[in-house]
């Protein structure tokens, strides 16, 4: 399972890099055309906005793979080692429930918005909303990977990554 998750996260990293390049390019084009050529492009602002939204959702899943999400360890640190593992497991299960909610409700949202088109690019908004269930699925996969690591005796929080 860890190998598959590693491949997924590697692919996600490349997709995030590509989306970031598109975001930078479209923003750069907007600046050039608006301020130097005095003829702004209509599509660049919308494309940059959608790229930023996608980066936010998929970036959260990628950050989860690197164990870079913030956590409040104040309460957990007050427990003995066995209690810490139990608290980490409870936190992981609560997060998994939230990610499942993201997946199912995100699909419902995307399905209901397929007929609505974006103003300039004319992309179905449902396609853009699909980032919600996709990121929920990727977050859940990475969280399950962390949960398996926790069950094997590891720790969910890896301080060596920071």
């Amino acid at each position: 399972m860890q190998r598959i998750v590693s491949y997924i996260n590697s692919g996600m990293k490349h997709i995030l890099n590509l989306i970031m390049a598109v975001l930078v390019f479209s923003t750069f084009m907007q600046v050039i055309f608006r301020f130097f050529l005095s003829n702004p492009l209509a599509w660049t602002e919308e494309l940059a906005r959608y790229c930023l939204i996608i980066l936010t959702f998929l970036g959260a899943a990628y950050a989860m793979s690197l164990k870079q999400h913030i956590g409040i360890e104040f309460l957990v640190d007050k427990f003995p080692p066995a209690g810490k593992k139990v608290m980490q497991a409870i936190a992981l299960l609560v997060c998994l429930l939230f990610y499942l909610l993201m997946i199912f409700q995100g699909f419902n949202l995307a399905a209901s918005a397929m007929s609505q088109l974006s103003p300039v690019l004319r992309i179905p908004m449902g396609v853009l909303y699909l980032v919600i269930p996709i990121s929920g699925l990727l977050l859940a996969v990475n969280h399950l990977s962390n949960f398996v690591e926790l069950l094997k005796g590891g720790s969910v929080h890896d301080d060596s990554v920071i």
Side-chain angles (χ1 to χ4, degrees):
M1 178 177 162
Q2 298 294 344
R3 181 181 237 169
I4 295 170
V5 172
S6 175
Y7 286 132
I8 290 170
N9 291 325
S10 176
M12 188 171 25
K13 179 174 80 171
H14 295 303
I15 290 170
L16 286 169
N17 286 332
L18 178 66
I19 294 170
M20 185 64 169
V22 170
L23 171 65
V24 169
F25 176 75
S26 66
T27 304
F28 178 74
M29 293 298 293
Q30 178 68 359
V31 170
I32 296 296
F33 275 80
R34 181 179 297 258
F35 294 111
F36 295 112
L37 302 177
S38 298
N39 188 15
L41 298 171
W43 58 271
T44 54
E45 182 180 346
E46 191 172 292
L47 180 62
R49 181 182 314 119
Y50 295 149
C51 284
L52 185 60
I53 292 167
I54 293 168
L55 275 173
T56 301
F57 277 95
L58 294 182
Y62 186 68
M64 182 66 66
S65 74
L66 299 177
K67 300 176 187 171
Q68 294 293 309
H69 274 272
I70 61 170
I72 302 172
E73 297 178 2
F74 174 75
L75 182 64
V76 176
D77 288 342
K78 297 209 178 276
F79 285 92
K84 287 181 184 180
K85 295 253 188 224
V86 170
M87 290 297 288
Q88 289 174 338
I90 290 170
L92 284 172
L93 291 174
V94 169
C95 288
L96 282 175
L97 287 174
F98 176 73
Y99 302 142
L100 288 174
L101 184 68
M102 279 179 69
I103 293 168
F104 291 118
Q105 292 303 317
F107 273 124
N108 290 339
L109 176 65
S112 68
M114 280 298 180
S115 62
Q116 179 186 358
L117 299 177
S118 67
V120 178
L121 296 175
R122 309 305 291 168
I123 299 169
M125 292 303 290
V127 172
L128 297 169
Y129 292 157
L130 279 175
V131 74
I132 298 169
I134 290 170
S135 66
L137 178 66
L138 292 170
L139 281 161
V141 165
N142 282 311
H143 238 115
L144 281 173
S145 175
N146 290 344
F147 189 67
V148 168
E149 184 180 327
L150 176 69
L151 291 177
K152 288 182 179 178
S155 174
V156 172
H157 302 286
D158 186 4
D159 296 329
S160 65
V161 177
I162 298 173

